[in-house]
Amino acid sequence: VWEIPGGRRLRMLDVAGRHGVAARWFALHPRGHRLAAVYGDGTINIWSPADGILRLQIPGRPSGQIFFSPDGARLYANGYEAI
């Protein structure tokens, strides 16, 4: 996580190390307080960029990109049956 402007790194999230599988896709919540990551095993993790805490883990089978709705109320995942 970097500060804009200036480019100073504020935090480094160890999203791969904590999960043990490489993250393939990321989506940032419109308000910036959550970061969703899709992993090679189909799991979606939702992190708090401010403190690096894993807030939610969703098992599944997404096959591609993920994104939050414009209002941030929903997370959409390509190939996922239901979230």
Side-chain angles (χ1 to χ4, degrees), residues 1-78:
V1 179
W2 288 270
E3 179 181 61
I4 303 295
R8 182 174 64 98
R9 186 172 74 187
L10 301 174
R11 175 170 309 285
M12 191 163 127
L13 301 176
D14 187 14
V15 295
R18 292 181 186 181
H19 189 68
V21 179
R24 295 185 175 180
W25 298 96
F26 294 93
L28 185 62
H29 188 278
R31 291 192 337 219
H33 70 290
R34 295 291 181 260
L35 177 69
V38 175
Y39 295 86
D41 67 354
T43 301
I44 297 174
N45 283 351
I46 300 180
W47 301 86
S48 171
D51 55 19
I53 293 175
L54 176 62
R55 300 293 178 169
L56 180 64
Q57 190 171 64
I58 305 167
R61 297 177 181 219
S63 59
Q65 292 179 323
I66 57 174
F67 60 95
F68 284 96
S69 61
D71 65 0
R74 290 184 169 72
L75 177 67
Y76 297 95
N78 182 16

